[in-house]
Structure formats: structure tokens, C-alpha cells
Amino acid sequence: MLTYYLELGLRSFRRHRGLTALMLLSIAMGVAACMTTLTVFHVLSGDPIPGKSDRLFNVQLDAEPMRDYQPGGEPALQLTRFDAEALLRDKRGVKQVIMTAGNIAVDPAGSGDAAQAPFFSRSRYTTADFFSMFEAPFRFGQGWSAAEDTAEARVAVISDELNQRLFGGVDSRGKTLRLRDKDFTIVGVLKPWRPAPHFFDLTLGPYAKAAEVYLPLATSYALRLGGSGSMNCWGNSGSDQRALNTPCAWLQYWVQLDTPQQRRDYFSYLTQYSELQRQAGRFERPANPKLWAVMDWLAVRKVVPSDIRLQVWLAFGFLLVCLTNTVGLLLAKCLRRSGEIGVRRALGAPRRQIFLQFLVEAGSLGLAGGLLGLMLTWVGLWVVRMNPAPYARLAQLDGQMLATTLLLSLLASLLAGLLPAWRACQITPALQLKSQ
């Protein structure tokens, strides 16, 4: 029976080509507008580390002076070096990481490629747990150890992009990477990796590209490698704002806690630590630690641009307008077929079969409109990627959004077909036969 209804629908579409084209275009444009904006929203607001985001926590401590203090206010975004290293020594989490960003000069001549001129590359200075904690995927090798952290080892992990640029993509473990005038040994090469949003360091922008060079944090201290990102200082910071006892917050601190009990215990530990630092005279404000899981952290920092949310609502409003037009066109088509419906009813077809027939026709129209809408969505996303915004290159249609596109078009067409299908099954066969 379903095949028969599809055949009837196809005949109807051929007889009313103009109406069919208008309905296809209306559904396709509404679906394309929705899916283009929804895909961008999906990319920007998605979970950057699925399956683990509820176990990774950003740590904040309120180490600033009483000036401008507001009870319950948001602490500094980052930690001082003194506090970050104290928390790392205590190792109260399953894993813990200190890190900061930098820009460092890469010397291709010292890395085996004298043909290239030196260039700057984005770097990340971090501790040993970084790669396992954030599930950074390795193509070759691995990260460094905690012992190499302590020993200020001159080792490096590089990105796939930098490995392609310097070494042609081969296994470069054991090769020399010259940064400024210092030589480092490559111990690992990452696969292409770009967490979106760039959740573990929002100071660079929520959709920044991942670093190309990763170095031990202690090594960056020893070699006085310059950093990038935000820094918040208070009091007398002196000439070296990155020194151990300088009152400047510039380091990100993340901890992995696998159970709710571990989270409660760690929060109590942070509160006790804050009180001890207050008693020692380092902290002036009452204890106000914050422990944010990844998705909560992105929400509290308002990572998704507000205009993207507005565009999603406007796109769904446009889809509603398109569906309203489609309903009108389907009703017009239904009225043109009143005679056909009257004959079928007179021959014994029950109302539910008439209703189902028109609903199947609307569904098949929706699938065809969805395929056209899918092509328009690809065009829309291509236009988005031409935008200079940092997140523009991330606008890609994945499998989930592809299925959503087809499902949305089918659902939209079925909703649009409900009223015409109900109207069709209400036609009185006697009146239609008399008029014929």
C-alpha cells in the first residue's frame, strides 16, 4: 500500500509541476537556513571532550587584594605561579596540569631544513599530565614524564602541521627542533587536533587553534621563554612578573576528578588551602574557590557568541514561515484533487486511507526538499567558512548534522501535510460526484 501511495504522489507531482517546485523550494530554503545556523551553533557549543568533560575541572582561587572586592564575586581567571605549583605538589587530583601559552621562534635551519626562513609558532608550556588528561592523540611517540618536568628537560611534542612543515610528515622522534637558539629533542608528534571550543585556555580566544609546539613548563621557566595570553597583577610585581612569589595570575590549572566524592574532597581542600594562605597573609579575601566542569566553565565564560543564538531562533522562524507557505500550497493542491478523492471515497476507500495517502505524499515531498536543502546547507556553510571569524573554519557538516537535516525536512513536511491530509479526508464524495 505504501508503494501505491508513493506512485500516486509521484503522478500528482508530475501533474502539478509548478506547485511541486514551489513547495520543494520552500521546504529546502527553510531547512537550509535552519541547518546552516544550527550546524554553526552545534560546532561552537558542542562538548570539546565527550565522555570526559564531567571529570575535568578548572580551578580558580581568589588571591586578589580587598580593593574592589564583592562578596561571592568571580575570582581571577587564572592562578599565580606560587599557588599553581603548591597545588601541583600536593597532587590531590587523579591528574593535574599547569599551563600557559606562548609564541616561540622556530629555526628550520637548526631543525634540518635550511631552505626555510625562521618563523614564529604558537606554543604551550605545560606539565606532563597534559596529553593524557586532555586526550591529545599521538601519531608518533608520546609526551614527556613528570621526572623530565622536574629535570627541566629540553624535549618537545609538536603538532602534525609543524611536523609536515619541517620534516615532511615522517616520524621525527629523536630529531632536533631548534627554538630560538636552543635545541630540543622531539619525543612525540600529535595527530591533527583542534579542540573546539579551546576550553583549557580561553585567554587566547574560545576558538583559537591548538599549539604547534609543547614544552615542559619548568623548562620554559629556566630558559625564560616569553608567554602570551592575559596576566592580572596586583601589588608590587617587580621586573619579573613570572617569578615564583610575584602577585600575578597567569597560569591555567586543571584537575581530573573521577567521582562526586573526589570533587567534594577537592573543593574542601581548596577551601582549606585558601584559609591557610589567608592566615599566612598572602590572601586578603575570604575563601572563594571555584571548581568548574568543562561545560559549566564554557557556560559561565559565555563562550558561545550571543548573535549565534539569535541567528538560530531567526532561522527557525524563517522555517515556520516556509512551512506556512507549504501548508497553503498543499491545501490548494488538495482542492484541485477533490474529484479524485470523491471517486476513491465512493469506491469504498476509508478516510484513514485518504489521510495516509496525503501524508505519505507530504513525507516524500519533504525528503526531496531535504536533499535539496542539504545541498543549499553545504553552500551556506561554505559561505560561513569564508568569514574571517575565528570559528568560521570549524563550520563543517558532520554525520550527526547530516541526519538531522534529513530528519528535520521529513518532520517539517509531515507537520505541514497534517492539515491538508485532514482536509482531504473530510471531502464528501456525494457532492463531488454531483459536481462532476
Side-chain angles (χ1 to χ4, degrees), residues 399-412:
Q400 180 182 350
M401 299 311 292
L402 177 63
T404 303
T405 302
L406 297 177
L407 183 62
L408 178 64
S409 60
L410 178 60
L411 180 62

Side-chain angles (χ1 to χ4, degrees), residues 116-177:
Q116 294 190 56
F119 57 90
F120 278 95
S121 185
R122 177 166 288 177
S123 56
R124 180 150 297 274
Y125 314 134
T126 184
T127 50
D129 282 344
F130 176 87
F131 304 102
S132 60
M133 187 166 164
F134 295 116
E135 298 183 344
F138 277 89
R139 186 178 298 280
F140 305 114
Q142 58 187 6
W144 56 84
S145 65
E148 288 173 306
D149 265 336
T150 305
E152 301 175 0
R154 295 191 183 184
V155 293
V157 170
I158 62 175
S159 69
D160 178 76
E161 182 179 350
L162 186 60
N163 190 51
Q164 292 283 350
R165 184 171 182 177
L166 293 179
F167 305 105
V170 302
D171 186 352
S172 57
R173 286 177 296 173
K175 294 187 177 182
T176 297
L177 176 69

Side-chain angles (χ1 to χ4, degrees), residues 293-310:
V294 172
M295 299 307 292
D296 295 332
W297 176 240
L298 296 178
V300 77
R301 302 309 305 174
K302 299 179 180 178
V303 164
V304 179
S306 58
D307 59 331
I308 297 296
R309 298 180 186 274
L310 177 61

Side-chain angles (χ1 to χ4, degrees), residues 4-17 19-20 23 329-345 353-362 364-365 417 420-421 423-429 432-433 435-436:
Y4 176 62
Y5 291 157
L6 288 173
E7 183 180 348
L8 289 178
L10 183 59
R11 290 177 184 176
S12 175
F13 295 153
R14 288 173 178 172
R15 285 199 306 268
H16 307 95
R17 288 186 174 88
L19 279 177
T20 301
M23 288 187 288
L329 293 171
L330 284 171
L331 281 171
K333 186 179 173 185
C334 172
L335 291 176
R336 288 188 178 186
R337 299 172 63 187
S338 297
E340 172 193 334
I341 298 169
V343 170
R344 286 202 64 203
R345 292 276 289 115
Q353 288 190 4
I354 302 296
F355 183 85
L356 184 59
Q357 174 192 340
F358 277 79
L359 207 59
V360 168
E361 289 183 19
S364 59
L365 183 71
R423 180 69 182 82
C425 70
Q426 300 302 312
I427 290 177
T428 304
Q432 294 301 320
L433 293 176
S435 65
Q436 297 297 320

Side-chain angles (χ1 to χ4, degrees), residues 199-221:
F199 65 99
F200 50 76
D201 185 359
L202 297 178
T203 65
L204 302 177
Y207 303 102
K209 291 180 64 176
E212 294 183 302
V213 179
Y214 298 82
L215 304 175
L217 183 64
T219 305
S220 73
Y221 293 156

Side-chain angles (χ1 to χ4, degrees), residues 61-82:
L61 295 173
D62 205 346
E64 296 181 83
M66 290 298 293
R67 183 181 68 250
D68 301 325
Y69 169 68
Q70 294 182 354
E74 187 73 6
L77 182 64
Q78 302 172 102
L79 301 189
T80 66
R81 179 178 169 183
F82 183 96

